[in-house]
Amino acid sequence: MKFAGVTVLGENGPKNKTCIYIRAHGLVNHNSYYSTITMSFVPNLASVTPNITVALGIVSLATAAIALLSYLRSFSKKQSKEVFPGPPGIPILGNLLQINPKDIILQLEQWAWEYGPIFKINMMGQEWLIVSDSNVINQQLKERPIRYSHSMKLISVFQELGMHGLLTAEGKFQNFLYINSIHFEVLAIAVRISLLTTHPRPFIHPITGSDWKQSRRWITPQFSPGRVARSKSLVIHHALILRDRLNEHAKKHQITYEKWFPKGEHVSSAVGKKHADRVFYNPKEISPVWSEFSDRTMAVIINYAFAHGKDDLVPPDIVNGIQKVLATINHRLVTPVPTWRFYSTASDRDANKAVKLLNKVIDDIFESIRKDKENGERKDEGHMNTLLESLLYEKIGKGDDVEDAELARSAEKASRLTLEQIKGNLIQVIIAGYDTTANTMNNILYAFACNPTVQARFHSEVDSILGDLAVSTSTSDLTEFFHQDPTVQFPYTYGVMRESMRLYPVVASQMFESNEDTVLDGHFMPKGTITMHLYRPASMRSCPTGDPFEFKPERWIECTDEEKKIMAQDAFGFVCPRICPGRHLATLQIMFYLILSVSRFNVQLMPSPPSATPARERRQFTSMIEGVNVRLVALSCRHLSLSLSRFIPVIPLPLQIGDSKNK
Ligand code: HEM
């Protein structure tokens, strides 16, 4: 790589070159200065290293000069940020060493209670504003994607894996944002070091535009309540498989429990020991259940997205592949140095392969749908169109409910998505919808284990409404029964779901950058300011129903409509243009998994000694309570028919993707 020169170009760089925009604020008069380093690339890297060193030196000096200038001019504007309190840090590194990336949310929440709804932290010279004030959060979220956009890290991690869709769309796709080069990193570090000022981001963020709007207009109608309701039998089918799997875990948990705490005659007496051992606890022997939830949610979403009716074209290892992609995203989001740009590890290569495979599968299914259409092949009555089919061919809103029609009007205004855009969106929908739903289920199990009275009330609601159907294994009988919205039919169970999302939100925080100078809570915020939202303390501060720290599902039944609106606003992304489009599908899955699967078990915590690692919330792409060691006890005696149901196998539909037994 060779630097052709260093030029100051302003906002628009030459089209045929890769550009990095560097921006320094003129904080007094709102002016900004942009310098652009224009680089041309040649293949032989070894022969040009001296040029790079010289260029880096020049760049560092130039940026240091710009930084110094803007720093001197920024004094009066800095005053606005000074008004916010924050934890004291150390010179240069600020608060960096006080934060463990995996525990960042818990640490920031502690500070939020201590320093108030808006406080600041210093991350190596960058000031971040941490916000847990619902009004301010609402204001910022509503002003997206024009005034605020997702953090560059989130966007670049997805783009580098070749996945671009609704979640990361902010404007027209910016090629210059991503430069996969070791020299870029060295350059970034050099610039960062020379910019040891208060400037938040030396590298420019995307320009907002129509990219997100177009995807949003097409994707949102595909997840309207009317369309999601058509996937009822798909979700019920997987809820029954989940019940079966949890039953296997319950058996294992019983064996482990009996091994750890044997009755009298099983005690072993080691030679030379005065007393026989009576407890054989070993934390490695616990059989965790999270993967069962992730398998089911993955299966449902893949089917919903593209696989339903075309499962012969989906290789079994696709689930494994997607899980690897998600693990890679998680890893990259919390890794401060992007090592994958220097060399690829085996997991980096696996993730790339998995994205390629996903693209190929979608291509194959697209081809098959196209042929079906050409041959005029008719679908069975009641066939559920996948997201792929609908995005390619369907006229949205026909025969559906009012909300569908509303959304259809909006989609009609936008031009159809290209196949490339569809593929990006399908992959992102899977990534966005899979562990969010699975982690929520995991957190509910933890809440049940910690709150036996809540669990008892949940069991009683399910039993009293479902009766003998509670143990039915018939997808069609159950689909027929659930003709109503289950959140209305089972209000306490719905309260359990909402309460767990309020106390243990899986999207507990988000980070944004401002795209323009703005005013936040009466204080001037220059373009490029980083803001981090903390949703849990925000919702707790504004909780209108009392006892905000307690797990009380009944608050969702006893509250007024207005109170419910306030309490529900944060879980799926507030009432903002980017509110989660998959919320109805997520809710349907969680409700059916609880009613048809989890209700068949008593959830307890496995006994453990005081030295055991306590369950703790951890954040990667999404948050989850880790180390939840539950013991499932099958409730086999509540209904006469239950004993029968244990001998009736779940009759599998042809949709077995994600079935861990088939992996
Ligand atoms: C319990 C489950 C879920 C939770 C808690 C959740 C939460 C959220 C939140 C808070 C956002 C807003 C992010 C933002 O403000 O930028 C979001 C966005 C999104 N969610 Fe979900 N989600 C869940 C399930 C799903 C499912 C099942 C799907 C799809 C099948 C999905 C697809 C998406 C997509 C595509 C976006 C991006 C929307 C946009 O940027 O316009 N989510 N989700």
Side-chain angles (χ1 to χ4, degrees), residues 235 237-243 245 290-303 434 589 593 597 655-661:
V235 180
H237 167 69
H238 283 280
L240 293 178
I241 296 181
L242 178 67
R243 184 200 292 175
R245 296 281 186 275
W290 181 83
S291 65
E292 301 302 345
F293 299 131
S294 67
D295 279 358
R296 286 312 108 211
T297 54
M298 174 80 86
V300 167
I301 293 170
I302 291 182
N303 274 289
Y434 138 71
Q589 286 188 76
Y593 295 157
S597 314
L655 302 160
Q656 293 288 314
I657 298 149
D659 185 338
S660 53
K661 279 195 177 159

Side-chain angles (χ1 to χ4, degrees), residues 141 144 150 165-169 212 216 219-220 223 301 304 387 425 428-438 440 497 501 505-507 510 512 535 570-574 576-587 589-590:
L141 291 182
R144 289 183 303 159
H150 277 123
L166 196 53
L167 195 67
T168 48
W212 168 79
R216 181 86 200 186
I219 299 295
T220 312
F223 290 100
I301 293 170
Y304 197 95
L387 198 52
N425 274 303
Q428 282 206 349
V429 155
I430 294 168
I431 299 288
Y434 138 71
D435 73 338
T436 40
T437 313
T440 303
M497 179 194 110
M501 294 170 93
V506 294
V507 183
Q510 288 202 94
F512 300 104
Y535 297 130
D570 55 324
F572 287 113
F574 285 74
C576 74
R578 298 193 83 139
I579 188 170
C580 174
R583 63 195 182 283
H584 303 298
L585 182 61
T587 303
Q589 286 188 76
I590 294 168

Side-chain angles (χ1 to χ4, degrees), residues 527-562:
K527 177 174 172 176
T529 299
I530 291 189
T531 319
M532 196 158 174
H533 293 169
L534 297 178
Y535 297 130
R536 175 165 42 198
S539 94
M540 285 178 168
R541 280 185 211 285
S542 60
C543 180
T545 48
D547 301 328
F549 305 149
E550 278 175 37
F551 194 91
K552 289 170 84 176
E554 58 274 21
R555 76 172 78 238
W556 295 86
I557 301 171
E558 292 158 6
C559 63
T560 63
D561 284 351
E562 189 51 35

Side-chain angles (χ1 to χ4, degrees), residues 72-88:
L72 290 175
R73 301 182 73 174
S74 70
F75 267 112
S76 64
K77 228 11 107 37
K78 263 179 70 191
Q79 301 302 319
S80 61
K81 284 193 191 172
E82 297 296 338
V83 297
F84 296 118

